[in-house]
Amino acid sequence: MDPIRLFKRFRRRLVGGEVTFIRLMCNSLLIYVDCEPGDGQGLTLWLEPAWHVTTPQGVVAGSCQAQGEAEVGRPTREELDRVWDLLAPALLNRPIESIRINVRSQDLIVTVEGGNRVRTFVSNPEDDHTWHIRDNSTGLMVYGSPAGLEVHRGKP
């Protein structure tokens, strides 16, 4: 399957869909659209670091905040909760207005109601995975990286 066609198909489903759940997995951001974890429906956007969320007033949260302050190990629940508290008002329960890919970097840019945005940005041009979108009913995914788009298939 052509990855650009799959992205366009996913985009048609995403635009107008509502962000119904968000989750931090360490410093990766997962955005569930028209679903919650385990539903077996809807689409999930998985954004690898580096990403940030902006409102018209400026940047409100970024992936480095979700790394935690400890020298070794993972962020604490309290650290993740602090970042979630910044993300939720900007993204949760808002419909997606647009989703696009930057032509040069393949960064994903998602705009939700209110002019709020979440976007990835390349921190290493050799990364093989900076984001993906997953159809939770089929397991079909489109992966983005600086090298371009790829289709992957996982479990539904």
Side-chain angles (χ1 to χ4, degrees):
M1 174 170 273
D2 177 44
I4 294 171
R5 290 177 75 186
L6 181 61
F7 174 78
K8 288 178 179 179
R9 189 168 88 195
F10 285 171
R11 182 174 54 198
R12 283 191 298 274
R13 290 178 55 196
L14 288 164
V15 172
E18 185 173 300
V19 176
T20 49
F21 196 90
I22 56 175
R23 179 180 358 191
L24 288 165
M25 297 289 286
C26 294
N27 57 347
S28 295
L29 175 62
L30 284 74
I31 300 171
Y32 294 80
V33 179
D34 295 330
C35 63
E36 291 192 12
D39 280 353
Q41 64 183 20
L43 296 166
T44 303
L45 290 79
W46 185 300
L47 311 179
E48 292 295 338
W51 53 264
H52 64 246
V53 175
T54 62
T55 67
Q57 291 73 39
V59 178
V60 296
S63 54
C64 285
Q65 288 173 286
Q67 287 178 187
E69 297 176 11
E71 290 183 26
V72 180
R74 300 164 49 129
T76 65
R77 171 59 35 213
E78 293 78 21
E79 289 171 324
L80 291 176
D81 286 347
R82 278 196 301 269
V83 177
W84 192 92
D85 289 343
L86 299 168
L87 296 172
L91 300 175
L92 199 56
N93 301 316
R94 293 178 182 265
I96 293 177
E97 295 180 341
S98 71
I99 182 167
R100 65 184 182 88
I101 299 171
N102 179 287
V103 177
R104 290 185 180 187
S105 64
Q106 306 301 311
D107 288 323
L108 189 68
I109 305 156
V110 181
T111 303
V112 300
E113 177 185 69
N116 300 345
R117 287 194 179 127
V118 59
R119 95 173 271 161
T120 62
F121 53 98
V122 173
S123 60
N124 180 347
E126 296 178 9
D127 281 344
D128 61 356
H129 178 217
T130 53
W131 59 268
H132 72 267
I133 302 170
R134 181 180 194 276
D135 181 328
N136 297 320
S137 65
T138 65
L140 202 55
M141 297 174 273
V142 62
Y143 273 59
S145 75
L149 303 182
E150 296 179 2
V151 174
H152 292 247
R153 189 173 296 274
K155 293 182 181 180

